[in-house]
Amino acid sequence: MTSFYLSNPYQPPQAPKNLPLNEPWALFGGISPDAFMKQYWHKKPLLVRGAIPAFTLARNSHEDLGSPISAESLFNLASDDLVESRLIQSKPWSFESGSFKKKSLPKLAQRDWTLLFQGMEAHHPAAAKVLSWFRFIPDARLDDLMISIAGIGGGVGPHFDSYDVFLIQMSGRRQWQVSAQKDLSLNPKLPLKILQNFAVEHEWILEPGDMLYLPPHIAHDGISLDTGCQTWSVGFRSPSFKELLQEGLWRLAESLEDIPELDHKFADPKQRASKQPEQLPLELIMQLEQKLKGLKLDQLSQFLPGISAYLSEPKQQAYFNGPDIPLTPKQFTQRLGSHALAPHPQTRILALNQDIFCNGERVTKGQTGQIQRAWASLASKKALICKDLKETGGSSLYEAYLCGWLVFNS
Ligand code: SIN
Ligand code: CO
């Protein structure tokens, strides 16, 4: 299998604007996203042969279709500081985080190594397009698209993830072994999270264009069978309730800054002489109770803005660069009439009813109706063209453009 170096790269299409959610999709082996969500999502694995029909068509006409990203481009990304990469070697097991000097990387033809690249949707348009196919799953659940490239025998070892993941085979073949075993104990002697015991229940060899969906906690091991084997994994996070409540409470505490009356000091003109001065005064307890009731701190609606802000935070490694020569507010408004403004690939946008959260901030707060509608379009369509936008100077939209969170498609 060496010919795929010379093959035509597969060019993934952008998903259509309105995804047909109750029609059969090849990506799910002829079932609809509705049916996939009901029968498989977060429940059981699904193997799809020919999930990307272009690969099957090419094979049938004796052509080779290669990954949209060449092995060479991936090796170049491994030395880029802005790309999160890892190198895992399996004989013996070793783990290193990037970036890497070119010389310290294994040669493509060597065995038993794999390079992993997180957040690839930010670094290559083809990865962003593949991600767009899955936009029937809430944005709040999406983590990123990871790409692995491996030499023969390469893999990360038998393990489990806490994530739902779609494993798309893009180049070469990979053998997948999976197990729904209950024993998920890890081998304490290894530098990687590798299962102590792995009792294989199913085994498949995936060819380019095949896909395997795995819900969380299914033990799995993928071993590369070909030089330059590429697997593209679309991963979905699910935060713990502890994380959500801690983050929500923390932001709720911060939001008390906006309530000036809370600066008033506790006053106790009704305090009587006490025989138990060590006890917290009842007067303080009663007044606090009144305040808590008044602020409705026990109601979910108070938490959701903070939780939305948290879930809209970009990845830690995200890096935004404002425009070199920024447009003035007037030029910005004019440009919006003819060019689409889009979220930078590392920008996260979430909506909570009419409120929009971008990269951890409630960007609709205190904005005009027009700007709020512009953000709603960016959240739902991931694009904005707006001919009649009035003054944008000082708006959160213009600020987000200056920060590099929003960019014009040239
Ligand atoms: C890989 O692509 O090599 C590993 C993906 C995974 O097992 O989660
Ligand atoms: Co995994």
Side-chain angles (χ1 to χ4, degrees), residues 89-237:
Q89 313 214 48
S90 56
K91 284 186 184 144
W93 286 111
S94 73
F95 168 92
E96 268 176 278
S97 292
S99 54
F100 299 94
K101 293 217 168 64
K102 287 238 159 71
K103 280 190 189 139
S104 66
L105 289 173
K107 298 270 171 294
L108 195 58
Q110 263 169 254
R111 296 183 63 105
D112 306 322
W113 60 271
T114 182
L115 265 171
L116 305 160
F117 302 90
Q118 293 297 148
M120 278 299 295
E121 68 283 3
H123 306 297
H124 200 288
K129 284 185 179 153
V130 168
L131 213 52
S132 75
W133 303 347
F134 295 89
R135 215 165 162 243
F136 58 90
I137 298 167
D139 291 339
R141 290 281 269 112
L142 179 66
D143 190 33
D144 71 348
L145 190 146
M146 179 183 89
I147 295 184
S148 69
I149 181 165
I152 295 175
V156 301
H159 68 285
F160 68 93
D161 298 306
S162 325
Y163 285 12
D164 297 83
V165 65
F166 296 91
L167 300 151
I168 305 169
Q169 196 56 27
M170 276 295 190
S171 183
R173 295 162 306 152
R174 172 164 239 134
Q175 178 195 60
W176 282 104
Q177 298 180 318
V178 305
S179 166
Q181 65 191 53
K182 293 277 165 297
D183 173 10
L184 295 177
S185 55
L186 300 176
N187 186 331
K189 297 196 189 101
L190 295 175
L192 293 145
K193 289 187 173 165
I194 291 186
L195 291 167
Q196 206 145 18
N197 307 299
F198 183 42
V200 179
E201 289 170 357
H202 298 282
E203 183 178 298
W204 302 286
I205 291 175
L206 269 71
E207 306 251 352
D210 293 346
M211 181 175 85
L212 176 62
Y213 161 73
L214 295 178
H217 300 125
I218 293 285
H220 55 284
D221 188 16
I223 299 170
S224 157
L225 301 183
D226 292 308
T227 304
C229 160
Q230 276 190 42
T231 304
W232 291 29
S233 318
V234 178
F236 290 83
R237 59 186 177 161

Side-chain angles (χ1 to χ4, degrees), residues 36-98:
F36 169 77
M37 293 308 272
K38 276 196 203 114
Q39 292 166 32
Y40 296 96
W41 174 254
H42 221 65
K43 298 173 210 46
K44 57 182 180 186
L46 173 66
L47 169 72
V48 184
R49 295 283 179 200
I52 308 178
F55 282 94
T56 322
L57 291 172
R59 243 188 330 265
N60 290 346
S61 40
H62 307 288
E63 278 170 35
D64 250 334
L65 211 49
S67 166
I69 311 184
S70 67
E72 193 189 353
S73 309
L74 287 173
F75 271 77
N76 286 337
L77 286 176
S79 44
D80 186 334
D81 289 341
L82 298 180
V83 181
E84 195 188 341
S85 57
R86 288 171 288 160
L87 171 64
I88 291 170
Q89 313 214 48
S90 56
K91 284 186 184 144
W93 286 111
S94 73
F95 168 92
E96 268 176 278
S97 292

